[in-house]
Amino acid sequence: MVSLKLQKRLAASVLKCGKRKVWLDPNEITEIHNANSRQNFRKLIKDGYVIRKPNKIHSRARVNKRAEAKRKGRHMGFGKRRGTREARFPSKIIWMRRMRVLRRLLKKYRESDKIDKHLYHQLYNKVKGNEFKNKRVLMEHIHKEKAEILRAKQLKKEGEYRRARAAAKRARAAEKEAEKQKKLLEGTA
């Protein structure tokens, strides 16, 4: 068996690949052995005596299958976990996401005039103080708060109306009393 080290190197250089990717036809050893220039190898490549081997297949099928199972929650039990709960999903990230969701909701409500700036400020601080665990709870609280404000306004209105009526009644009574006094004075005179 003749050494084809030089030929392998030249072929690899012409094919622009590594030496391990070069295939030399075992039936044409003598012709390949006599080739000692890149020009000769271009001819051999054209004739099909020297070929670049195809790339090996590196299948991801198993990886994809496992990733699909992991998305469903398989292979994720206690035995597979290496980091602490905090390292795997920091509570700070959870907090930040919650804050952003709740603050975004408050901002949207304020811009659409569902809440005024005073209620916005009050709720903003309550959100910061960890009073609402999610969006639903905050929305429920907003509805309750708005109903409460409406009720207070209604009560205030009713109170003012009652006071006005009472004042008018008192004024009428005082007028009557004054008229009575006037008649009495006229009667005596």
Side-chain angles (χ1 to χ4, degrees), residues 96-111 120 124 127 135 138:
M96 275 160 39
R97 282 184 189 171
R98 196 169 84 197
M99 285 301 104
R100 284 170 186 172
V101 165
L102 297 178
R103 284 173 180 176
R104 206 178 300 129
L105 179 78
L106 284 176
K107 199 173 168 195
K108 193 175 89 177
Y109 271 26
R110 184 183 60 183
E111 280 165 5
Y120 169 86
Y124 187 96
V127 163
K135 203 165 155 181
L138 176 59

Side-chain angles (χ1 to χ4, degrees), residues 2-10 19:
V2 288
S3 173
L4 299 173
K5 215 171 173 187
L6 169 74
Q7 283 74 10
K8 264 258 165 97
R9 182 176 64 75
L10 289 173
K19 285 179 283 198

